[in-house]
Amino acid sequence: MYDYYDELGIGRETLLAQIKSQMSEKRFNHVLSVEKEAIRLAEIHGVDPQQAGLAGLLHDYAKELPDEEFQHLIKKYDLDRDLLNWGNNVWHGLVGIYKIREDFNLEDQEILQAIKVHTVGSSNMSKLDKVVYVADYTEETRNFPGVDEARKLADSDLNRAVAYESKSTIRHLCEKNVRIYPQALDTYNAFIQYI
Ligand code: GDP
Ligand code: FE
Ligand code: FE
């Protein structure tokens, strides 16, 4: 069987140690829970559990990177300069994949894409993208109003789960009076039909 740890060229213990070195204990526990939930959802919905698990483990790898490093990566890889007008919440997925590519021997474009869009989604998500986007929201340590409904939808209908999470996130951002990244609105517009 094809093994993604072979592709990385490092064993699980080394991978976990590297991830752990980049983040707080609390975030590391979140990452382990997202791995578990992504594998569970992948098995329900016919997605490769190895891809889902690895995407789950790496999805927040760049979350604690300093702003200056993200700004540097945006310029180094000649990414859309509009990204400079945003912050860590938007960067850690969309730009974080460049840090992951630098630190790991990971060229699986499907995994990288799922990590890329795990926060803002996209109007055209693969099943793997949806599993990671939803698992980040429904993993067992999450505890917020509506999480039980999100978990029910996650098990029964991935599109409805994405719609529910996108709508809840946008409502939450509106209530906090913060700007919404246009791609997050694209996700809402593409998925709200499934609510
Ligand atoms: P986490 O990394 O596990 O905490 O979860 P996410 O990557 O899904 O989200 C990180 C943060 O980004 C959360 O606080 C979201 O509410 C926030 N967020 C999601 N979409 C947007 C957006 O369009 N704009 C802004 N400013 N924040 C967003
Ligand atoms: Fe995240
Ligand atoms: Fe996360």
Side-chain angles (χ1 to χ4, degrees), residues 10-43:
I10 54 175
R12 180 175 173 84
E13 291 314 309
T14 311
L15 173 64
L16 290 184
Q18 173 65 24
I19 294 169
K20 196 169 188 202
S21 74
Q22 299 294 305
M23 60 188 65
S24 70
E25 180 124 16
K26 184 163 185 258
R27 178 153 292 116
F28 183 65
N29 287 332
H30 160 68
V31 156
L32 292 177
S33 293
V34 174
E35 177 193 34
K36 189 167 141 194
E37 176 72 347
I39 290 171
R40 197 184 68 80
L41 293 178
E43 281 166 350

Side-chain angles (χ1 to χ4, degrees), residues 16-173:
L16 290 184
Q18 173 65 24
I19 294 169
K20 196 169 188 202
S21 74
Q22 299 294 305
M23 60 188 65
S24 70
E25 180 124 16
K26 184 163 185 258
R27 178 153 292 116
F28 183 65
N29 287 332
H30 160 68
V31 156
L32 292 177
S33 293
V34 174
E35 177 193 34
K36 189 167 141 194
E37 176 72 347
I39 290 171
R40 197 184 68 80
L41 293 178
E43 281 166 350
I44 293 175
H45 297 291
V47 171
D48 182 340
Q50 280 206 39
Q51 281 185 306
L54 190 48
L57 271 184
L58 286 169
H59 82 285
D60 277 340
Y61 179 74
K63 182 97 180 208
E64 294 182 17
L65 219 57
D67 287 358
E68 300 72 49
E69 282 206 44
F70 281 115
Q71 289 155 350
H72 175 73
L73 288 166
I74 291 165
K75 290 172 195 152
K76 179 172 177 184
Y77 291 99
D78 199 20
L79 307 181
D80 184 350
R81 289 300 192 273
D82 173 61
L83 279 165
L84 293 170
N85 299 317
W86 297 85
N88 177 283
N89 284 343
V90 165
W91 291 336
H92 78 280
L94 296 178
V95 185
I97 56 162
Y98 294 89
K99 172 72 175 161
I100 292 170
R101 283 176 54 194
E102 288 187 354
D103 289 7
F104 299 99
N105 190 17
L106 176 67
E107 284 302 328
D108 183 314
Q109 298 308 313
E110 294 169 2
I111 293 178
L112 290 170
Q113 178 66 16
I115 296 170
K116 184 177 177 186
V117 303
H118 86 266
T119 307
V120 296
S122 90
S123 59
N124 182 19
M125 296 170 85
S126 70
K127 270 166 89 171
L128 178 64
D129 297 347
K130 292 172 194 173
V131 159
V132 176
Y133 180 88
V134 171
D136 191 18
Y137 203 70
T138 58
E139 58 92 347
E140 64 189 2
T141 76
R142 295 289 204 200
N143 174 23
F144 48 80
V147 74
D148 290 333
E149 177 67 10
R151 288 188 180 123
K152 240 184 273 168
L153 296 174
D155 287 6
S156 62
D157 187 330
L158 273 183
N159 287 327
R160 284 186 71 197
V162 171
Y164 185 86
E165 176 180 338
S166 169
K167 180 179 168 180
S168 306
T169 301
I170 283 172
R171 189 199 289 122
H172 171 75
L173 295 169

